[in-house]
Amino acid sequence: MYNTTMTCIFCGIADGSIKSQLIYEDEDVVAFKDLNPQAPTHLLIIPRQHIARLDEADEQHALLLGKLLLTAKKLAKQFNLKDFRLVTNNGKGAGQSVDHLHFHLMAGRRFNWPAG
Ligand code: DGP
């Protein structure tokens, strides 16, 4: 394990050196409010471990990836979100701006499909 806090904002949020509106944390997963919300509820769910994006994950991360999805489900229940969107942007062309795997959990407005 290496510490990327100096270069990665989300590693800094995960280790507490960068302030955020924390919603949930356990030994593997952290969730916090998005700084630039795109919906009335907009949370980010991240692994503590620095994985740049989904296509850098592999079999060794299977449990962790499951935990991230189950955290989204638990938070949706906790926040009483009936309909929600869960999305990850993989790569700049897909809209990724922070190179630390994260899932956006968004709710509270109508979402279009296909996504823009
Ligand atoms: P993406 O574009 O998929 O990489 O999403 C990155 C999100 O991270 C974007 O919605 C804004 C949010 N974000 C960027 N910097 C910070 C920060 O320092 N704190 C918080 N809470 N959110 C941030």
Side-chain angles (χ1 to χ4, degrees):
M1 186 90 79
Y2 56 95
N3 187 328
T4 53
T5 301
M6 296 304 284
T7 53
C8 175
I9 292 167
F10 286 0
C11 282
I13 287 175
D15 74 15
S17 61
I18 294 175
K19 275 209 171 122
S20 72
Q21 287 185 270
L22 213 64
I23 296 296
Y24 173 84
E25 63 178 330
D26 62 29
E27 67 272 30
D28 298 314
V29 175
V30 178
F32 50 95
K33 290 191 179 179
D34 194 293
L35 200 60
N36 183 23
Q38 301 300 313
T41 300
H42 188 167
L43 307 180
L44 297 172
I45 302 164
I46 69 168
R48 285 190 188 278
Q49 182 181 352
H50 184 85
I51 301 168
R53 55 191 165 273
L54 187 59
D55 70 7
E56 285 205 354
D58 56 30
E59 289 304 319
Q60 64 170 311
H61 301 115
L63 192 61
L64 180 58
L65 292 172
K67 284 194 79 168
L68 291 165
L69 293 181
L70 286 173
T71 300
K73 190 202 96 166
K74 282 182 208 158
L75 291 176
K77 189 168 185 194
Q78 182 185 325
F79 281 79
N80 209 18
L81 310 178
K82 195 168 93 51
D83 300 324
F84 59 86
R85 179 164 286 179
L86 184 68
V87 66
T88 190
N89 297 324
N90 188 94
K92 279 194 172 44
Q96 185 174 10
S97 60
V98 177
D99 286 336
H100 183 127
L101 175 63
H102 51 283
F103 289 92
H104 298 258
L105 176 61
M106 294 181 288
R109 68 167 171 86
R110 185 152 188 91
F111 295 99
N112 296 323
W113 191 257

